[in-house]
């Protein structure tokens, strides 16, 4: 009877756990017993992962229970059973030693009232971790954590039954960070001319034969960030905001969380192919980092850079990928200074490890295709396409030379330069085994965050131009029919175009309310003036599609649904990227930047006053596909399916733990 009362007491608090919202005790763990990987996870057969088990004992707060008394059960057990078979102890099943028991504690706020009152809840934890295990046999598995005299947490895992036949020799994954369908629509409008409502040219993305949409929500929140969303694309696993290739546990360390393999690690280990990473962001940023790092804190930039070179060194894991190509920004993490990992000179370390190191466009184009290559071209993120090609004065006085000399970086490659060179290197280094390349247009997202819509759309058009050049290059190389090309995003922003703005009329008005009359909707939106050529138009190379005029009188009435206080004049900022909100106090309390859009009008923010930029949104994002397996990318599906479709096309599933699997042939279906 006492046992039943105890179990009932523990169960009574589960309702309150299920409704946790702003804050959660631990994402993916609604009960006091936590299993990671959690319930409803799909696996690729033969890939490595860690298992983390936690038993929580709340000391105070709404979850505290007299039956537990703040002492976590140290005698918990964990079993696994393939459907239809009897359960086995996990150590026996995986043929590994029983892990040591770990103990720690953590605190959390149950809601905003508790946060404001600084009333935290304390939780004591007993935990174990099984490291680097794998499931090889397809089917459904049930894992059970038993604790507190009969309380159980169960999770169902599915190992997918995928063929080992390889259909693609190469895969290129283009990621327009933050890119949505409405942004593509806006980019098309400002760069492609229409006649009587009919476009006279098409974006390269528009010409892909397959279009699908992926849902981007997280494991424990419906709005994601770039770390979590990139992890989903590369691993087939949902995780937590800020986490890279791990499930976030409750321990103090950001490096001991349960890991799982990403596609670069699997592809290198199984097929011995080449791997390339290209980004217009600093190379330790979330999207490129998720092809190497394993940490719940994306801000561990130094450790990210070190992982490119040395892999994961704190726990047993697969061999380091050592990408054949790493191109992007972020020089502050490479030359020796207080921001580089432990003050090290990573340029020297990469060179010692056999990498060619290049720091500008000229040396990039001249470097050998036969060697691994590290290309770091600026401090922080690369300047935007608009500043590199139209408003070039904005490249001055940035002190962003990648050598760390505090001079300006001027000889900077763009996304197209880096991507095409990456293909040359990858193909030269891995003609037989093929290659995987991720190429990211990072500042679509970064400029959307700061409400700099013109720069964001310029980045999107650069991505489209890069995709076009890539298709042409692969066709000339005879590699197009054997290469799967995917163009997608990791998440979206709540952006759209609702009409046009007569900026001359707006300037002539004296009040904010009168200025709003410059907006034209429906019939009064008119036609795009960005494609009207004049003597002052910007000229581009043949076949390139960008606006002829970035500063027409009639501009786009465009914007986000979530933003800080800011001013808006709907004009391109010719003096550099926008800074819409500034902090005028000693606290996080942002107001509209009076220097930004001075001829426009004030728009009250929709976000908390601690926000100085826009945020991500829930919207599904497009997936364009061309090449082998293209048909699998149609429809609407979870973001994790992108990984499984790529893995299936590469034939990465393995039904045994052989370290030298038989190489299968790729077969393209026309």
């Amino acid at each position: 009877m006492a046992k039943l009362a105890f179990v009932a007491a523990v169960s009574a608090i589960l309702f309150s756990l299920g409704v946790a919202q702003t804050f959660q005790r631990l994402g993916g763990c609604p009960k006091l017993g936590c299993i990671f990987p959690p319930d409803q996870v799909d696996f690729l057969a033969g890939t490595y992962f860690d298992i983390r088990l936690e038993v929580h004992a709340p000391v105070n707060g709404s979850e505290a229970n007299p039956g537990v008394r703040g002492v976590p059960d140290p005698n918990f057990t964990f079993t696994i059973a393939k459907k239809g078979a009897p359960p086995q102890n996990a150590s026996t099943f995986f043929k590994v030693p029983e892990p040591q028991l770990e103990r720690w504690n953590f605190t959390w706020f149950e809601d905003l009232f508790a946060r404001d009152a600084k009333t935290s809840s304390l939780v004591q934890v007993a935990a174990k971790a099984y490291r680097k295990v794998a499931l090889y046999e397809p089917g459904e598995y049930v894992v059970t954590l038993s604790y507190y005299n009969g309380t159980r947490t169960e999770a169902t895992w599915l190992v997918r039954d995928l063929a080992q036949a390889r259909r693609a020799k190469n895969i290129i994954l283009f990621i327009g960070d933050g890119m949505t369908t409405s942004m593509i629509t806006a980019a098309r409008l400002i760069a492609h001319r229409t006649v009587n409502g009919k476009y006279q040219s098409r974006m390269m993305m528009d010409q892909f034969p397959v279009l699908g949409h992926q849902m981007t929500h997280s494991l424990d929140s419906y709005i994601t960030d770039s770390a979590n969303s990139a992890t989903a694309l590369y691993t087939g696993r949902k995780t937590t905001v800020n986490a890279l290739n791990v499930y976030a546990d409750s321990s103090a360390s950001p490096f001991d969380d349960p890991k799982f393999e990403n596609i670069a690690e699997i592809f290198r280990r199984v097929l011995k192919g080449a791997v390339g990473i290209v980004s217009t962001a600093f190379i330790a940023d979330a999207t490129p980092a998720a092809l190497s790092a394993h940490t719940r804190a994306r801000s561990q930039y130094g450790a990210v850079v070190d992982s490119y070179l040395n892999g994961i060194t704190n726990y047993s894991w697969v061999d380091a990928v050592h990408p054949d190509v790493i191109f992007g920004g972020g020089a502050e993490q490479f030359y020796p200074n207080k921001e580089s990992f432990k003050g090290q000179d990573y340029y020297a370390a990469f060179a010692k490890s056999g990498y060619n190191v290049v720091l500008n466009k000229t040396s990039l184009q001249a470097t050998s295709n036969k060697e691994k290559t590290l290309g770091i071209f600026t401090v922080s993120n690369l300047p935007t396409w608009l500043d590199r090609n139209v408003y070039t004065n904005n490249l001055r006085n940035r002190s962003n030379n990648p050598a760390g000399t505090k001079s300006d970086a001027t000889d900077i490659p763009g996304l197209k330069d880096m991507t095409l060179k990456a293909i040359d290197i990858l193909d030269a280094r891995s003609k037989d085994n093929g290659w995987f390349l991720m190429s990211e247009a990072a500042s679509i997202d970064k400029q959307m965050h700061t409400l700099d819509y013109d720069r964001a759309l310029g980045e999107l058009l650069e991505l489209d131009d890069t995709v076009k050049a890539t298709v042409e290059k692969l066709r000339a190389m005879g590699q197009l029919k054997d290469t799967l090309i995917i163009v997608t995003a990791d998440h979206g922003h709540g952006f759209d175009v609702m009409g046009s703005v007569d900026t001359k009329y707006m300037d002539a008005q004296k009040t904010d309310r009168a200025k709003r009359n410059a907006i034209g909707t429906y019939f009064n939106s008119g036609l795009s003036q960005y494609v009207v050529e004049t003597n002052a138009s910007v000229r581009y190379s043949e076949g390139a599609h960008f606006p002829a005029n970035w500063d027409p009188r009639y501009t786009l009435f465009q914007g986000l649904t979530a933003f800080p206080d800011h001013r808006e004049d709907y004009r391109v900022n010719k003096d550099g990227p926008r800074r819409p909100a500034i902090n005028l106090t000693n606290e996080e309390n942002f107001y509209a930047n009076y220097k930004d859009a001075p001829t426009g009008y004030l728009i009250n923010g929709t976000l908390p006053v601690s926000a100085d930029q826009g945020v991500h949104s829930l919207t599904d994002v497009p997936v364009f596909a061309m090449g082998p397996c293209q048909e699998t990318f149609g429809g609407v599906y979870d973001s994790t399916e992108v990984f499984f479709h790529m893995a299936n096309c590469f034939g990465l599933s393995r039904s045994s733990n052989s370290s030298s699997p038989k190489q299968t042939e790729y077969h393209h279906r026309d």
Side-chain angles (χ1 to χ4, degrees), residues 386-387 391 394 452 454-455 571-579 595-597:
L386 194 60
D387 293 313
Y391 301 115
N394 295 325
D452 202 330
D454 298 285
R455 281 177 173 76
R571 279 181 165 158
V572 63
N573 192 336
K574 299 178 182 179
D575 297 328
R578 289 185 71 177
R579 187 184 176 193
K595 294 182 179 180
D596 181 59

Side-chain angles (χ1 to χ4, degrees), residues 105-151:
N105 62 68
F106 68 93
T107 60
W108 69 294
F109 295 117
E110 294 193 9
D111 59 21
L112 293 170
F113 295 107
R115 182 202 63 182
D116 292 348
K118 296 182 172 57
T119 304
S120 60
S121 296
L122 174 65
V123 180
Q124 300 285 352
V125 181
K128 288 183 178 180
Y130 299 82
R131 302 288 181 183
K132 196 184 175 186
V133 298
L135 293 168
Y136 296 95
E137 187 177 344
E140 191 172 278
Y141 294 77
V142 176
V143 293
T144 304
L145 175 64
S146 300
Y147 53 99
Y148 293 145
N149 297 322
T151 304

Side-chain angles (χ1 to χ4, degrees), residues 290-310:
L291 285 170
S292 180
H294 293 267
T295 174
R296 73 163 179 263
R298 59 181 285 184
S299 58
Q300 296 289 335
Y301 302 134
V304 170
V305 170
D306 190 74
S307 74
Y308 289 132
L309 186 62
N310 298 313

Side-chain angles (χ1 to χ4, degrees), residues 407-429:
S407 59
D408 295 332
T410 54
D411 187 13
I412 306 170
L415 185 66
K416 181 164 68 174
D417 303 311
M418 294 188 292
T419 301
L420 297 184
K421 183 63 174 182
I423 292 171
D424 286 336
I425 295 172
L426 295 172
D427 192 64
R429 289 181 56 80

